[in-house]
């Protein structure tokens, strides 16, 4: 930039003046375009989310309305079935029993039960699994209302309810009879349906009947006495509402988005089928019946599981939002999908509206295109402006720059030292006196000096400067020759002094190194001593802790010995007691013997008394038996006592042996303790000796250090002197060189 | 008939209760009494020195061991020389009486040996019990010998 001449600078100034606004404008447009894009994206995102949310809302409302309608229809069907039953006559039990293989609908266990016949009026509701044969009441109800209908018979007091007639089909197409609802669920809680019906109320709600979800109503059936002897059921398959199915399946969200519905949990269904994640309704029935739980996005995340988990926590009509990147399995293309979901709790359905974000991209692309063309236009205008500015700058710069260029040539001659030629070009007085110059140049100089503007005044000033310079240089030339000889003398003297000082510095450095080595060695020794001391201390403390442990062990051993002694004494007490019992037994034996003898004599006397002694002889026999029993019992006790005594004496012997061992353990422990004590004493005695050595070492080390410091100071002083002399020397040399340089410079100027 | 049961050696015997005065415990014999042949000694029964015959020795077996169930059966005996005297009989396991019905007495064959001092009987719960005949066991000659001492 600074190498450019004046003319070029002016041209650049002009071009920049045109270029800056153009570039700024373009940048502004570019930056604004980015902002506009972001705002547009926000607005479109907002709009698309709302649109999809609206679709999910609409679907939720559709399902809600269907739910209400089906509920109404269930009520209607129930009253129809009830009317049919009433028309048939009073329900009651009668006649010979029927045997049923009743199957628990939860755990599928079968047990045979014998139940009385279930009568409606005079009609017996017979077990009938075949749809080709009509079953009264239930088939009539189904024909009229299209709802499924079942009659349950109460099996027992608990309230287990057996399906005895039904229009609900099994998987194999037969009637689903002889299964029963137990009064208690497998989890131990009372079954809500049975509990409600037994309390005399009608149960309404969803139920998983046989293989499908139904909207149901269960009503108690009473006999003439008002007892609940069964229940009446009607139900409509929940997904039977075809209009709702059609509306939801055909709903389109945005351009290509759609709606699908999944089961949120598997609660309430049978154990055999896990409904969680199974698709109920989808666009064009594409996924119906499939389980979508394991669908993944491009990152491998199970996003359907995420949705189900979050959806069940939503309030009614509240939406959840999710963005996923999905790979189209057919084309392999990755699209950004916007998902809004809601949870319809009564049916355990999660309603999901999904649409790709690309459907909403058109508006944003249009805006982007317009802004791009604005950017290109501003750049084009800028280029034209630049061309005009360049041409103007060329014209103006030529006018300003020419006189300045002439002055520059003159200044260049002065710089070269060619004052003579410079003076001629400038038309100076000094030059014009000594030498004649050609008229052409002089006339040009005359023309510039006459101009009254800044360039003219500059020209005159240069001319005056050349005159003054001429006289100055003549004087300096003569002075410099004298200075050179003086400088040479100074330089020689200082060099001599420098070599002397350098010698001194070298000897001090050698001494210092030797001292440093001594100091390092002693410090190392000191460190080693420190280590030894630490090790000795550690040994001491470890021995001390071992000593404490041994002490504890000894104490424990002593306690053990005491306890053993106590147990031994307890055992000998037991032995004494056993002996006491033995003497008591002897007494009892004697008493028994006496009693026996007494009874013998009594019997003999009674015999002698003949008829009168009969009663007495019975008493005598009884007394004898008692005595015998006593004797037998006594024998048993004696046996036990003997065994007990044997065990006790064995125990005493074992205890004695044990306590001998414990005593030996105590002795060993105390010996160990003493040995450790001795070790500790020895180690502790070592420590003060180490300290004495340590102090000596430290003193030595300090002394060495002090010598070292002194030597270092000395060396420093020597080095400083050397440096000062060297600096002085350098200064002298510089002076010499400066004078020499001055002389050379001066000779450059040609003055004569 | 009520019979007192006891044991001599390995055999179980029964004695008619009507012949028994009393059963006494096996006590120490009087210090000046002299054991002799089958006589174990004398003891004081109701103040009178009374001879005691060891039935084990009398029947040619081991003497009765000194146990609690070894007792003295006191019986009343008479001979022309000593019209009314009480004699003690030492026997083992004297702890039971048993009632013998006339039917049980008749079923047994009493004619095996008219002179035998014992008659075998089969009693329910007791097996074979020898019914002892005192007058054959202790003939007058033996009585005199005993009472003479």
């Amino acid at each position: 930039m600074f190498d450019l001449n004046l003319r070029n600078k002016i041209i650049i100034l002009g071009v920049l003046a045109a270029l800056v606004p153009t570039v700024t404008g373009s940048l502004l447009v570019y930056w604004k375009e980015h902002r506009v894009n972001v705002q547009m994206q926000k607005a479109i995102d907002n709009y698309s989310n709302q649109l999809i949310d609206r679709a999910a809302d609409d679907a939720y409302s559709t399902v809600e309305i269907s739910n209400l309608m089906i509920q109404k229809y269930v009520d209607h069907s129930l009253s129809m079935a009830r009317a049919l039953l009433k028309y048939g006559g009073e329900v009651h039990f009668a006649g010979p029993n029927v045997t049923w293989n009743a199957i628990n609908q939860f755990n599928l266990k079968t047990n045979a039960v014998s139940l009385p016949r279930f009568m409606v009026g005079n009609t017996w509701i017979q077990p009938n699994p075949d749809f080709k044969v009509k079953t009264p009441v239930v088939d009539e109800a189904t024909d009229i209302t299209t709802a499924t209908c079942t009659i349950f018979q109460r099996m027992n007091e608990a309230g287990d309810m057996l399906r005895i007639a039904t229009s609900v089909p099994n998987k194999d197409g037969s009637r689903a009879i002889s299964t029963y609802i137990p009064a208690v669920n497998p989890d131990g809680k009372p079954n809500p349906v049975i509990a409600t019906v037994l309390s005399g109320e009608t149960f309404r709600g969803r139920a998983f009947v046989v293989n499908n979800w139904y909207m149901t109503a269960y009503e108690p059936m009473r006999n003439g006495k008002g007892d609940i002897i069964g229940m009446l059921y009607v139900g409509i398959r929940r997904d039977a509402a075809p209009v709702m199915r059609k509306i939801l399946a055909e709903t389109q969200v945005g351009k290509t988005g759609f709606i699908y519905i999944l089961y949120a949990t598997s609660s309430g269904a049978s154990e055999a089928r896990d409904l969680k994640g199974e698709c109920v309704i989808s666009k064009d029935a594409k996924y119906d019946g499939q389980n979508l739980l394991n669908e993944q996005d491009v990152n491998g995340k199970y996003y359907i599981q995420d949705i189900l988990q979050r959806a069940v926590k939503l309030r009614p009509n509240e939406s959840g939002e999710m963005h996923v990147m999905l790979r189209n399995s057919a084309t392999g293309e990755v699209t950004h999908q916007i998902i809004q979901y809601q949870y319809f709790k009564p049916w355990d359905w999660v309603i999901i509206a999904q649409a790709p974000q690309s459907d909403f991209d058109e508006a944003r692309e249009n805006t982007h295109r317009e802004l791009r063309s604005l950017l290109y236009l501003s750049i084009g205008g800028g280029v034209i402006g630049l061309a005009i500015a360049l041409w103007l700058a060329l014209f103006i710069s030529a006018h300003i720059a020419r006189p300045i260029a002439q002055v520059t040539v003159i200044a260049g001659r002065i710089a070269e030292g060619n004052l003579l030629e410079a003076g001629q070009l400038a038309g100076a007085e000094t030059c014009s006196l000594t030498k004649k110059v050609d008229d052409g140049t002089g006339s040009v100089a005359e023309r510039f000096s006459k101009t009254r503007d800044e360039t003219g005044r500059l020209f005159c000033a240069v001319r005056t400067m050349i005159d003054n310079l001429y006289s100055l240089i003549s004087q300096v030339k003569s002075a410099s020759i004298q200075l050179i000889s003086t400088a040479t003398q100074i330089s020689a003297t200082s060099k001599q002094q420098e070599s002397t000082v350098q010698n001194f510095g070298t000897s001090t450095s050698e001494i210092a190194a030797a001292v440093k080595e001594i100091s390092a060695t002693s410090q190392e020794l000191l460190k080693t001593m420190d280590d030894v001391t630490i090790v000795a201390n550690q040994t001491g403390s470890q021995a001390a802790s071992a000593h404490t442990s041994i002490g504890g062990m000894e104490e424990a051993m002593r306690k053990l010995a005491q306890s053993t002694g106590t147990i031994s004494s307890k055992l000998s007490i037991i032995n004494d007691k056993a002996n006491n019992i033995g003497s008591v037994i002897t007494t009892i034996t004697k008493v028994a013997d006496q009693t026996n003898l007494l009874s013998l004599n009594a019997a003999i006397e009674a015999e002698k008394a003949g008829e009168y002694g009969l009663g007495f002889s019975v008493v005598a026999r009884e007394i004898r038996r008692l005595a015998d029993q006593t004797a037998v019992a006594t024998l048993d006790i004696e046996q036990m006592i003997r065994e007990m005594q044997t065990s006790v004496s064995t125990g005493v012997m074992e205890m004695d042996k044990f306590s001998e061992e414990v005593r030996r353990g105590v002795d060993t422990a105390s010996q160990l303790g003493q040995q450790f004590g001795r070790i500790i004493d020895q180690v502790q005695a070592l420590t003060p000796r180490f300290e004495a050595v340590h102090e000596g070492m430290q003193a030595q080390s300090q002394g060495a250090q002090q010598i070292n410091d002194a030597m270092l100071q000395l060396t420093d002083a020597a080095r400083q002197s050397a440096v000062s002399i060297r600096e002085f020397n350098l200064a002298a040399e510089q002076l010499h060189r400066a004078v020499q340089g001055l002389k050379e410079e001066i000779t450059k100027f040609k003055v004569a | 008939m009520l019979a007192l049961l006891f044991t001599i050696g390995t055999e179980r015997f029964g004695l008619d209760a009507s012949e028994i005065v009393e059963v006494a415990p096996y006590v120490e014999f009087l210090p000046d009494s002299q054991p002799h042949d089958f006589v174990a000694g004398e003891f004081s029964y109701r103040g009178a020195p009374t001879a005691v015959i060891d039935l084990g020795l009398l029947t040619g077996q081991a003497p009765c061991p000194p146990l609690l169930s070894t007792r003295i059966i006191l019986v009343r005996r008479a001979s022309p020389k000593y019209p009314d005297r009480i004699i003690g009989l030492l026997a083992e396991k004297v702890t039971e009486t048993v009632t013998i019905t006339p039917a049980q007495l008749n079923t047994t064959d009493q004619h095996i040996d008219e002179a035998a001092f014992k008659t075998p009987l089969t009693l329910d719960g007791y097996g074979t019990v020898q019914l002892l005949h005192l007058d054959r066991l202790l003939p007058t000659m033996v009585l005199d010998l005993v009472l003479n001492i």
Side-chain angles (χ1 to χ4, degrees):
Chain A
M1 184 73 155
F2 296 99
D3 293 340
L4 295 171
N5 62 23
L6 187 62
R7 191 176 167 186
N8 289 348
K9 279 178 189 167
I10 290 166
I11 293 167
I12 288 169
L13 194 67
V15 171
L16 276 182
L19 197 63
V20 169
T22 310
V23 171
T24 316
S26 304
L27 281 177
L28 265 174
V29 170
Y30 182 78
W31 175 66
K32 205 65 196 168
E33 182 200 9
H34 183 69
R35 284 284 305 274
V36 167
N37 267 344
V38 170
Q39 291 295 335
M40 278 296 283
Q41 185 64 51
K42 259 188 205 162
I44 288 165
D45 282 353
N46 209 1
Y47 161 73
S48 53
N49 279 341
Q50 274 177 7
L51 191 79
I52 297 166
D53 187 24
R54 175 68 53 80
D57 261 354
D58 288 350
Y60 184 93
S61 304
T62 310
V63 175
E64 200 173 22
I65 289 164
S66 299
N67 182 29
L68 285 172
M69 279 173 64
I70 293 174
Q71 270 175 2
K72 283 273 177 222
Y73 193 59
V74 167
D75 283 351
H76 165 74
S77 305
L78 181 65
S79 45
M80 196 62 85
R82 192 191 306 129
L84 280 167
L85 199 65
K86 204 171 175 186
Y87 178 72
E90 185 191 296
V91 291
H92 57 97
F93 289 156
N97 280 6
V98 187
T99 303
W100 292 88
N101 281 326
I103 300 164
N104 184 325
Q105 74 172 30
F106 289 112
N107 56 24
L108 303 179
K109 277 185 192 154
T110 308
N111 53 325
V113 290
S114 178
L115 297 174
R117 290 183 175 183
F118 192 93
M119 307 293 288
V120 177
N122 295 324
T123 319
W124 171 32
I125 306 294
Q126 295 184 42
N128 171 25
D130 191 356
F131 267 107
K132 286 175 195 154
V133 182
K134 285 279 173 193
T135 299
V137 186
V138 292
D139 278 351
E140 290 156 16
T142 304
D143 287 347
I144 295 170
T145 62
T146 73
T148 56
C149 178
T150 302
I151 292 174
F152 286 85
Q153 179 171 355
R154 187 171 178 171
M155 292 166 71
N156 45 32
E157 193 53 39
D160 296 348
M161 291 287 187
L162 178 69
R163 291 185 178 85
I164 56 162
T166 185
S167 55
V168 179
N170 257 339
K171 270 183 197 161
D172 59 7
S174 63
R175 291 179 193 267
I177 58 167
S178 86
T179 56
Y180 72 93
I181 307 176
V184 180
N185 275 352
D187 57 7
K189 288 181 189 156
N191 185 294
V193 174
I194 302 280
T196 311
V197 169
L198 286 184
S199 70
E201 302 288 323
T202 300
F203 176 90
R204 284 185 176 77
R206 68 186 187 124
F208 196 79
V209 178
V210 186
N211 280 319
N212 288 294
W213 280 107
Y214 282 75
M215 294 300 292
T216 64
Y218 294 83
E219 188 180 70
M221 283 194 293
R222 296 170 189 275
N223 62 11
K225 283 185 265 176
D227 297 332
I228 296 171
I229 61 164
M231 59 185 187
L232 181 64
Y233 150 89
V234 291
I236 292 175
R237 264 181 75 158
R238 194 169 64 190
D239 47 1
V243 177
M244 171 194 76
R245 196 168 254 284
K246 189 162 180 285
I247 288 173
L248 292 176
E250 285 178 359
T251 303
Q252 187 162 318
V253 183
K255 249 195 252 171
T256 58
F258 51 87
I259 280 181
Y260 55 106
I261 292 174
L262 307 177
Y263 282 114
T265 64
S266 57
S267 65
S270 72
E271 289 166 18
R273 250 180 87 191
D274 190 3
L275 289 181
K276 184 176 183 180
E278 188 174 307
C279 184
V280 192
I281 293 172
S282 55
K283 186 159 180 73
D284 305 327
K286 197 173 162 193
Y287 297 113
D288 285 11
Q290 287 182 33
N291 196 316
L292 302 181
L293 261 191
N294 292 327
E295 291 293 309
Q296 295 177 347
D297 67 1
V298 287
N299 301 321
K301 199 175 74 169
Y302 294 101
Y303 69 99
I304 292 286
Q305 291 181 15
D306 265 12
I307 290 175
L308 296 188
Q309 210 176 358
R310 290 182 204 170
V312 294
K313 290 174 193 153
L314 294 175
R315 291 188 299 278
N317 252 324
E318 192 190 0
S319 289
E321 185 180 330
M322 179 180 271
H323 293 258
V324 287
M325 303 303 290
L326 294 184
R327 189 183 298 281
N328 188 324
S329 55
T331 61
E333 187 185 2
V334 175
T335 52
H336 178 171
Q337 299 280 347
I338 304 169
I339 290 178
Q340 292 278 354
Y341 50 88
Q342 297 203 2
Y343 181 48
F344 186 63
K345 197 169 179 195
W347 289 6
D348 192 32
W349 278 10
V350 175
I351 297 160
I352 303 174
Q354 179 178 331
Q357 198 190 38
S358 56
D359 285 7
F360 306 96
D361 277 352
E362 201 179 343
R364 197 183 40 165
E365 269 162 19
N366 283 343
T367 316
H368 180 71
R369 205 159 39 237
E370 286 303 317
L371 283 170
R372 240 328 111 97
S373 67
L374 180 63
L375 179 66
Y376 294 149
L377 276 177
S378 53
I379 292 171
V383 169
I384 294 167
L386 196 62
I388 296 169
L390 190 64
W391 182 75
L392 276 174
L394 279 172
F395 180 75
I396 292 167
S397 64
H399 188 73
I400 294 172
R402 209 173 293 148
I404 302 288
Q406 179 69 25
V407 174
T408 312
V409 169
I410 293 166
R413 293 285 184 282
I414 295 171
E416 284 165 11
N418 202 341
L419 277 180
L420 204 63
E421 205 173 321
Q424 282 165 359
L425 283 172
E429 285 171 19
T430 323
C431 308
S432 58
L433 283 178
T434 51
K435 213 173 179 179
K436 286 282 171 189
V437 284
D438 63 316
D439 285 340
T441 321
S443 67
V444 172
E446 280 308 296
R447 188 153 53 86
F448 288 150
S449 61
K450 273 176 193 152
T451 328
R452 289 286 94 194
D453 64 4
E454 285 90 341
T455 38
R457 264 180 268 163
L458 179 67
F459 219 83
C460 287
V462 168
R463 198 186 282 165
T464 316
M465 187 186 79
I466 292 171
D467 286 343
N468 290 342
L469 208 61
Y470 200 85
S471 67
L472 176 69
I473 286 167
S474 310
Q475 284 173 4
V476 171
K477 262 190 174 172
S478 60
S480 65
I481 292 166
Q482 273 183 332
L483 267 171
I484 285 175
S485 66
T486 319
T488 316
Q489 274 177 356
I490 295 171
S491 183
T493 318
S494 69
K495 244 174 205 155
Q496 216 169 347
Q497 205 166 1
E498 192 192 344
S499 71
T500 318
V501 173
Q502 234 154 14
N503 281 348
F504 175 60
T506 319
S507 355
T508 0
S509 291
E510 273 165 18
I511 297 170
V515 172
K516 208 181 257 171
E517 218 167 306
I518 295 170
S519 172
T521 316
S522 68
Q523 224 134 26
E524 217 167 291
L525 205 56
L526 196 62
K527 220 176 128 224
T528 315
M529 278 314 289
D530 275 346
D531 288 350
V532 173
T533 313
I534 288 165
V535 172
N537 281 342
Q538 277 174 353
T539 313
S541 70
Q542 277 169 5
S545 73
H547 187 230
T548 321
S549 311
I550 295 273
M553 191 165 104
E554 202 182 328
E555 184 59 30
M557 285 290 212
R558 202 159 285 135
K559 277 185 191 158
L560 198 59
Q562 276 172 13
S563 315
T564 324
T566 319
I567 295 171
S568 281
S569 69
K570 292 269 161 65
L571 282 175
S572 66
I573 290 170
I574 293 174
N575 207 4
D576 288 352
K577 299 275 176 188
N579 284 337
N580 285 351
I581 295 172
S583 72
V584 172
I585 284 169
T586 312
T587 315
I588 295 172
T589 315
K590 276 183 188 159
V591 172
D593 175 58
Q594 291 292 320
T595 314
N596 179 270
L597 188 61
L598 189 66
S599 76
L600 283 182
N601 285 321
I604 292 164
E605 287 303 318
E607 177 71 9
K608 284 180 192 162
E611 284 294 317
Y612 304 104
L614 274 182
F616 193 62
S617 80
V618 174
V619 174
R621 208 177 301 139
E622 287 303 313
I623 289 174
R624 197 163 63 242
R625 196 180 299 153
L626 275 178
D628 291 349
Q629 281 173 3
T630 311
V632 170
T634 316
L635 267 179
D636 289 348
I637 294 174
E638 260 185 291
Q639 184 58 35
M640 281 192 267
I641 291 290
R642 212 165 293 132
E643 280 170 12
M644 193 168 107
Q645 277 173 325
T646 317
S647 322
V648 166
S649 48
T650 316
V652 169
M653 269 159 60
E654 292 292 322
M655 278 320 287
D656 284 348
K657 250 189 262 171
F658 182 57
S659 66
E660 183 52 38
E661 274 168 33
V662 168
R663 209 164 297 128
R664 234 178 286 146
V666 171
D667 288 350
T668 316
S670 63
Q671 275 172 14
L672 264 179
Q674 281 167 8
Q675 282 169 3
F676 267 114
R678 250 173 275 145
I679 293 175
I680 292 166
D681 289 348
Q682 285 167 4
V683 171
Q684 272 166 353
L686 271 181
T687 313
R689 271 188 255 166
F690 277 135
E691 264 163 22
V693 175
H694 187 218
E695 272 168 25
M697 290 282 193
Q698 210 148 24
Q700 196 183 343
S701 171
Q702 273 171 5
Q705 190 69 43
Q706 278 167 2
I707 297 173
N708 192 17
D709 287 351
M711 287 318 282
L712 276 182
Q713 278 171 2
L714 208 59
T715 314
D716 266 358
R719 198 174 294 134
Q720 274 170 5
S721 302
V723 168
S724 308
I725 291 169
R726 207 175 294 133
E727 274 170 8
F728 180 66
N729 204 356
L730 275 174
E733 242 169 56
Q734 273 170 357
L735 179 66
H736 185 250
R737 221 178 290 135
V739 174
Q740 196 80 34
L742 186 65
K743 195 183 152 202
E744 276 168 19
E745 288 299 317
I746 296 292
T747 48
K748 269 189 204 162
F749 287 97
K750 294 172 190 162
V751 285
Chain B
M1 184 183 88
L2 184 75
L4 179 68
L5 295 182
F6 53 87
T7 304
I8 302 167
T10 54
E11 274 184 312
R12 196 77 172 136
F13 285 87
L15 181 60
D16 188 351
S18 59
E19 290 193 275
I20 299 171
V21 179
E22 196 183 341
V23 180
Y26 182 32
V27 291
E28 286 194 10
F29 297 113
L30 291 174
D32 52 348
S33 67
Q34 299 264 315
H36 162 69
D37 291 340
F38 44 82
V39 179
E42 282 183 314
F43 83 108
S44 173
Y45 176 65
R46 296 182 194 255
T50 307
V52 177
I53 298 172
D54 190 323
L55 289 181
L57 292 174
L58 184 66
T59 56
Q61 299 177 61
C64 298
L67 296 172
L68 278 177
S69 61
T70 303
R71 285 167 176 164
I72 300 165
I73 306 163
L74 291 153
V75 293
R76 198 177 291 278
R77 287 285 89 184
S79 72
K81 208 172 170 184
Y82 305 98
D84 181 16
R85 294 293 289 265
I86 289 174
I87 290 181
L89 302 174
L90 193 60
E92 294 175 53
K93 294 184 183 163
V94 190
T95 55
E96 275 183 281
T97 57
V98 66
T99 307
I100 301 170
T101 59
Q104 284 173 328
L105 273 178
N106 293 338
T107 52
T108 55
D109 182 6
Q110 294 190 22
H111 302 285
I112 296 169
D113 185 357
E114 284 290 332
F117 66 89
K118 55 186 182 183
T119 310
L121 295 178
T122 305
L123 298 180
D124 293 345
Y126 295 95
T128 306
V129 172
Q130 307 286 348
L131 192 62
L132 197 66
H133 306 293
L134 273 187
D135 42 356
R136 290 181 205 161
L137 180 69
L138 299 172
T140 316
M141 193 188 74
V142 175
L143 274 180
D144 285 345
L145 185 66
V146 171
L147 295 170
N148 194 26
I149 300 163

